[in-house]
């Protein structure tokens, strides 16, 4: 059964909680630059995540770990300048919040002041509780991130599905309830069993956004380079490609190169 959509002129953290209570699914995509963010926002996406996945898709690193706070601020400020409607959530990068709640607050303040972002996202539960509380106490909205947490990839040693065993699943449920209790406005659940993600979404009142977490949650997020098919080497089960831009762009660029070589471009109508 479809749910009537409310026409939100501007998405806020309050809007997302309303969407969940009304049964309206939440759409979320990544963006890292002005041009792409403008397109994503115009298309009606509710939440734009300036993800530390920029480390992979923009800079070519193997993991999300190398990206710095300064680089995240650069990407986030580029996105914010393009956006009229969407809520912009910015990842705090690895090393900017784990060791000290005061450092976490300083990092979050820099994101908010220097980029104009609307909220920050942190990976982890109980282990980073004090950092989250410190940020929230300063009036900065926080989104949590549980399940597969890419900043901990060397601890896990693999990008395989998380929380398949009872002990890890129970901890994830406890962490989700903790994040809600201390004041997070939403949680991303990455690459966990669909039945567990649905259980979490039903057990808390804040929105749960899934990536590889099934359809029983309150919304979905994908990396835009993946869903547009710009990255042809990444094909997890949870990814639906809506375009094959890698092939289309390669063909277009090859044609341009050929037209230049043959002096077909520019023609008489394409010059002054």
């Amino acid at each position: 059964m479809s749910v009537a959509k409310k026409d939100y002129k501007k998405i806020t953290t309050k809007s997302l909680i309303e969407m969940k209570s009304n049964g309206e699914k939440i759409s979320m995509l990544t963006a890292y630059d002005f041009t792409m963010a403008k397109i994503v926002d115009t298309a009606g996406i509710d939440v734009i995540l300036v993800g530390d996945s920029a480390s992979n898709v923009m800079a070519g690193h193997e993991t999300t770990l190398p990206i710095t706070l300064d680089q995240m601020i650069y990407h986030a400020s580029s996105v914010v300048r393009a956006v009229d409607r969407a809520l912009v959530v910015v990842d705090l990068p690895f090393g900017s919040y784990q060791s000290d709640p005061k450092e976490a607050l300083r990092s979050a303040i820099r994101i908010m002041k220097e980029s104009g972002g609307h909220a920050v996202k942190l990976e982890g539960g109980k282990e980073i509780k004090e950092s989250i509380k410190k940020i929230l106490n300063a009036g900065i909205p926080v989104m949590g991130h549980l399940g597969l947490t890419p900043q901990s990839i060397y601890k896990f040693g693999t990008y395989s599905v998380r929380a398949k065993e009872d002990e890890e699943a129970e901890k994830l449920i406890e962490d989700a309830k903790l994040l809600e209790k201390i004041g997070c406005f939403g949680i991303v659940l990455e690459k966990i069993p669909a039945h567990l993600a649905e259980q979490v979404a039903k057990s808390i009142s804040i929105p749960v956004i899934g990536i590889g977490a099934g359809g029983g949650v309150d919304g979905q997020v994908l990396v835009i380079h993946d869903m547009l098919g710009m990255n042809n080497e990444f094909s997890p089960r949870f990814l639906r490609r809506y375009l094959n831009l890698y092939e289309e762009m390669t063909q277009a660029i090859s044609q341009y190169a050929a037209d230049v070589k043959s002096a077909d471009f520019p023609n008489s109508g394409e010059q002054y």
Side-chain angles (χ1 to χ4, degrees), residues 2-172:
S2 62
V3 177
K5 285 177 63 177
K6 180 176 175 180
D7 184 20
Y8 290 99
K9 298 285 190 245
K10 181 73 177 173
I11 302 296
T12 65
T13 56
K14 183 174 180 288
S15 309
L16 301 182
I17 293 170
E18 282 181 3
M19 287 180 183
K20 171 162 182 154
S21 65
N22 293 334
E24 180 183 343
K25 297 288 190 179
I26 297 163
S27 61
M28 184 171 176
L29 272 177
T30 64
Y32 316 98
D33 65 84
F34 178 89
T35 302
M36 192 71 85
K38 193 78 172 174
I39 296 169
V40 172
D41 189 52
T42 302
I45 291 295
D46 299 315
V47 183
I48 293 178
L49 173 64
V50 185
D52 57 3
S53 47
S55 181
N56 310 110
V57 298
M58 301 299 286
H61 293 296
E62 184 180 2
T63 72
T64 62
L65 274 62
I67 199 163
T68 66
L69 184 60
D70 285 341
Q71 289 168 335
M72 287 302 302
I73 289 168
Y74 167 79
H75 286 295
S77 60
S78 301
V79 167
V80 168
R81 284 192 288 270
V83 169
D84 292 320
R85 177 182 178 273
L87 182 81
V88 178
V89 178
V90 185
D91 273 341
L92 282 184
F94 177 72
S96 68
Y97 63 92
Q98 290 94 339
S99 63
D100 175 15
K102 290 181 180 178
E103 183 181 12
L105 177 58
R106 284 193 293 269
S107 300
I109 287 173
R110 282 200 62 200
I111 290 275
M112 301 297 282
K113 282 179 69 71
E114 296 178 39
S115 80
H118 307 139
V120 296
K121 180 168 75 65
L122 289 72
E123 294 183 7
K126 183 180 178 181
E127 311 81 15
I128 60 163
K129 177 180 73 171
E130 296 307 317
S131 289
I132 293 174
K133 287 169 69 175
K134 197 84 171 171
I135 295 169
L136 287 167
N137 285 341
I140 299 172
V142 174
M143 176 174 266
H145 184 145
L146 301 172
L148 176 64
T149 47
Q151 290 179 10
S152 303
I153 187 57
Y154 289 125
K155 173 185 171 184
F156 294 146
T158 175
Y159 285 103
S160 60
V161 177
R162 304 303 311 170
K164 291 191 290 186
E165 305 299 327
D166 289 346
E167 184 178 352
E168 189 177 351
E170 287 170 12
K171 182 183 184 307
L172 187 143

